[in-house]
Amino acid sequence: QLSIKEVGRNNKNRRIFVQVSRDTCGENFSPGEDNRMFFGYQPTHGYGQAFPQQPIAVASLLPALPEDLHPSANFRSRHYHMLTFLFVKRDFQQLGYGRHMMEHVERVVTSAL
């Protein structure tokens, strides 16, 4: 089970996000200024530490704007929430962590409606 938490947008967290994206696909990706960021941490095994230092998965979400009531045909409006990035480090892929991150982000977004 992945431990997921939403983190604030600051330089440290953006650096961590970029590092995970680089470890995953070899390129630097950074979430936009309006994005919400989520970090997924590997479960701990009895060490008592709630969240280890480095996440194994990261995701970012561009939230919809409540005042944008009419979606455009090309999805360029902010009528819809949009998952902008989802990365899982290579050693942890194919274990369901990406699906778990996606489900968590969906729950957070739909609970805010």
Side-chain angles (χ1 to χ4, degrees):
Q1 188 75 330
L2 197 63
S3 300
I4 302 171
K5 71 174 188 173
E6 186 170 359
V7 296
R9 283 200 46 83
N10 57 44
N11 287 337
K12 178 184 175 191
N13 289 339
R14 279 202 308 266
R15 263 192 317 275
I16 293 170
F17 192 100
V18 168
Q19 180 65 45
V20 173
S21 75
R22 187 173 38 246
D23 292 348
T24 303
C25 66
E27 295 198 28
N28 296 336
F29 291 96
S30 181
E33 291 299 321
D34 296 342
N35 283 221
R36 294 168 66 179
M37 295 191 313
F38 298 86
F39 285 1
Y41 298 91
Q42 186 177 19
T44 58
H45 300 288
Y47 294 112
Q49 188 178 8
F51 294 107
Q53 288 291 75
Q54 292 297 319
I56 61 168
V58 296
S60 62
L61 170 83
L62 181 64
L65 294 176
E67 62 270 12
D68 191 356
L69 301 176
H70 305 289
S72 67
N74 59 6
F75 291 95
R76 290 185 184 265
S77 69
R78 293 281 301 273
H79 181 73
Y80 302 101
H81 300 292
M82 183 173 30
L83 183 73
T84 52
F85 295 111
L86 174 61
F87 297 104
V88 179
K89 287 187 175 183
R90 290 182 197 272
D91 293 344
F92 300 96
Q93 292 178 1
Q94 302 296 319
L95 299 173
Y97 291 141
R99 178 178 44 83
H100 190 68
M101 285 285 287
M102 184 69 212
E103 290 171 352
H104 177 81
V105 171
E106 285 178 342
R107 273 194 309 275
V108 168
V109 170
T110 55
S111 69
L113 297 177

